[in-house]
Amino acid sequence: MNPIILECKGLSKRYGNTQCAVDNLSLSLERGQIVGLLGPNGSGKSTLIKLINGLLTPTAGTVLIDGMLPGVETKSIISYLPEQTYLSPSMKVKDAISYFTDFYKDFRPDRALKMLKDLDIDINARFKILSKGAKEKVQLILVMSRDAMLYLLDEPIGGVDPAAREYILRTILMNYSENATILLSTHLIQDIENVLDRVIFLQNGRAVLNATVDEIRMEQKKSVDILFREVYRC
Amino acid sequence: MPWDLDNDRPIYLQLMERIRQDIVAGVYKPGDKLPSVRDLALDAAVNPNTMQKALSELERDGLVYSKRTSGRYITEDETMLNQLKAELAMQHIRQFLETMKQLGFKKEEILSLIQEALKEEP
């Protein structure tokens, strides 16, 4: 098995004639890690995630997932949680489960149903009647109930209260396997610092730091959260 | 309940401290099987790899040992456990003495204050 699950080489994305959203970025991630993609608004987090899952094509450079260019095969091993919901408001939770079961060979409906039950979410409810937090939880449950190789979670804890955040983090910890890697973007570092192996700081589309959480604490004698505030001081 | 961890020190060191403390406090008895890495990581709300590292370090120190397929166990070496207990006690005492020094107390004063406090203990 290729130990590298994700490799970006000189990756750039420019929208029209603007500044690069992702700028000559090179990095590689090994399997079996939870990686935080950190950066202020507009630093290129979502663009990078969309380049990895093939929703955007690079202006220059390449991205390889398990050695493959983004395509049908990589979609089958990537589980992606977008920043915005894509589930139709009129759809019922159980319909979403059957969609996922049809779409993804690696989807485990029993796992999803168990988590929904733990959270007292009615599978007969339509998405339009669910609270924002409940909707986010359902989406994360769907995404984490796949046995994927690479999970791309774009702001998974952005819109939920602290208690739900804790549940979501537990869900992530509980469902991820040793061979899988999770790349999650967020600006709420403090809440998730302890569950991360490694952090990547993005600034203007470049990786300005790529280190493990304990390396940062050992060398800087401060938390990633404090370091982030220093690096990105306005 | 996630474990209470400081923000400015490496996480794995703090996990090691917590497990050591639990061993001394009798949460785990000599020869007890430790929960799995995953369960401990979930309980502490930390990354499983970090928990793995903490346990490997404790194993290197000899405080826990692993059986090939069945998991990790607390050492039954009483000498080592007593030594650990004494070490933790000394750590707390040194911290206390440091604070008392900062407050301006001399050695004899500290000693008599301790004796007084001990008398008040039931």
Side-chain angles (χ1 to χ4, degrees):
Chain A
M1 200 186 274
N2 183 353
I4 304 293
I5 187 67
L6 173 70
E7 187 167 25
C8 302
K9 284 187 274 195
L11 189 65
S12 298
K13 178 68 186 178
R14 187 191 291 274
Y15 298 108
N17 276 328
T18 57
Q19 204 191 347
C20 281
V22 168
D23 190 1
N24 195 18
L25 184 81
S26 295
L27 60 86
S28 63
L29 295 183
E30 289 178 16
R31 290 174 198 273
Q33 300 193 78
I34 305 180
V35 183
L37 187 60
L38 312 178
N41 297 326
S43 55
K45 301 188 297 284
S46 294
T47 300
L48 175 60
I49 285 179
K50 286 177 184 164
L51 286 167
I52 298 167
N53 66 24
L55 289 176
L56 292 171
T57 48
T59 312
T62 51
V63 53
L64 297 174
I65 302 96
D66 198 16
M68 299 176 284
L69 290 166
V72 177
E73 265 181 86
T74 64
K75 280 182 204 287
S76 71
I77 58 170
I78 292 178
S79 192
Y80 169 50
L81 178 75
E83 210 174 352
Q84 310 213 318
T85 180
Y86 52 88
L87 296 162
S88 155
S90 62
M91 192 188 246
K92 289 180 179 171
V93 175
K94 65 176 182 193
D95 300 334
I97 302 246
S98 63
Y99 268 49
F100 265 69
T101 312
D102 286 347
F103 273 150
Y104 301 110
K105 272 204 303 252
D106 60 0
F107 185 70
R108 303 280 168 265
D110 45 330
R111 210 195 284 168
L113 289 168
K114 184 181 176 300
M115 283 192 270
L116 290 167
K117 193 161 168 256
D118 285 346
L119 283 176
D120 279 327
I121 293 173
D122 179 9
I123 58 164
N124 291 306
R126 290 182 198 280
F127 282 102
K128 64 181 166 203
I129 70 146
L130 293 181
S131 70
K132 185 171 183 227
K135 239 181 296 189
E136 290 199 10
K137 284 183 213 161
V138 173
Q139 287 193 81
L140 184 79
I141 286 171
L142 290 170
V143 167
M144 292 309 296
S145 295
R146 286 184 55 197
D147 284 328
M149 285 282 127
L150 179 62
Y151 297 86
L152 301 173
L153 312 179
D154 201 352
E155 293 285 352
I157 56 172
V160 300
D161 59 75
R165 219 168 273 168
E166 219 179 281
Y167 180 83
I168 287 176
L169 290 177
R170 282 183 70 81
T171 308
I172 292 174
L173 284 178
M174 227 160 8
N175 287 296
Y176 117 104
S177 85
E178 286 162 20
N179 292 325
T181 285
I182 298 175
L183 181 64
L184 68 91
S185 79
T186 187
H187 47 250
L188 298 166
I189 303 162
Q190 210 178 0
D191 291 332
I192 59 153
E193 190 166 333
N194 290 354
V195 309
L196 300 177
D197 285 281
R198 172 177 289 282
V199 292
I200 296 168
F201 278 19
L202 279 188
Q203 197 165 34
N204 301 325
R206 296 173 192 218
V208 291
L209 177 80
N210 180 349
T212 71
V213 171
D214 275 351
E215 274 166 12
I216 290 172
R217 289 180 176 217
M218 202 103 72
E219 282 158 24
Q220 313 263 350
K221 308 251 185 298
K222 59 182 78 140
S223 67
V224 176
D225 186 43
I226 301 280
L227 181 65
F228 182 87
R229 284 165 206 256
E230 288 176 4
V231 170
Y232 296 108
R233 180 162 291 148
C234 297
Chain B
M1 198 57 207
W3 297 2
D4 198 11
L5 302 171
D6 295 337
N7 279 325
D8 50 357
R9 293 189 304 132
I11 298 164
Y12 82 95
L13 289 177
Q14 300 185 61
L15 300 177
M16 288 173 69
E17 283 166 16
R18 164 70 182 251
I19 296 168
R20 275 199 210 106
Q21 188 138 359
D22 280 353
I23 292 173
V24 168
V27 177
Y28 306 116
K29 305 262 183 307
D32 267 4
K33 188 177 180 204
L34 272 172
S36 69
V37 171
R38 184 173 288 252
D39 286 344
L40 280 171
L42 270 175
D43 188 42
V46 299
N47 186 295
N49 295 328
T50 313
M51 185 57 81
Q52 174 71 41
K53 180 167 182 193
L55 293 173
S56 308
E57 292 287 320
L58 289 173
E59 201 172 318
R60 228 173 45 173
D61 297 346
L63 209 53
V64 305
Y65 64 96
S66 54
K67 288 186 191 165
R68 212 177 306 158
T69 50
S70 64
R72 282 195 175 77
Y73 296 80
I74 309 293
T75 183
E76 287 159 73
D77 182 344
E78 294 286 344
T79 325
M80 180 178 272
L81 291 170
N82 287 333
Q83 210 178 336
L84 173 66
K85 196 166 184 172
E87 260 169 45
L88 287 182
M90 282 311 287
Q91 261 177 33
H92 284 290
I93 290 170
R94 267 187 233 111
Q95 253 170 26
F96 164 79
L97 288 178
E98 191 53 41
T99 318
M100 292 305 276
K101 252 189 248 166
Q102 278 169 7
L103 290 174
F105 287 99
K106 299 203 175 57
K107 284 182 183 173
E108 308 77 49
E109 290 173 313
I110 297 172
L111 190 58
S112 67
L113 280 172
I114 291 178
Q115 281 166 338
E116 235 170 89
L118 281 173
K119 269 183 221 153
E120 283 166 24
E121 285 271 300

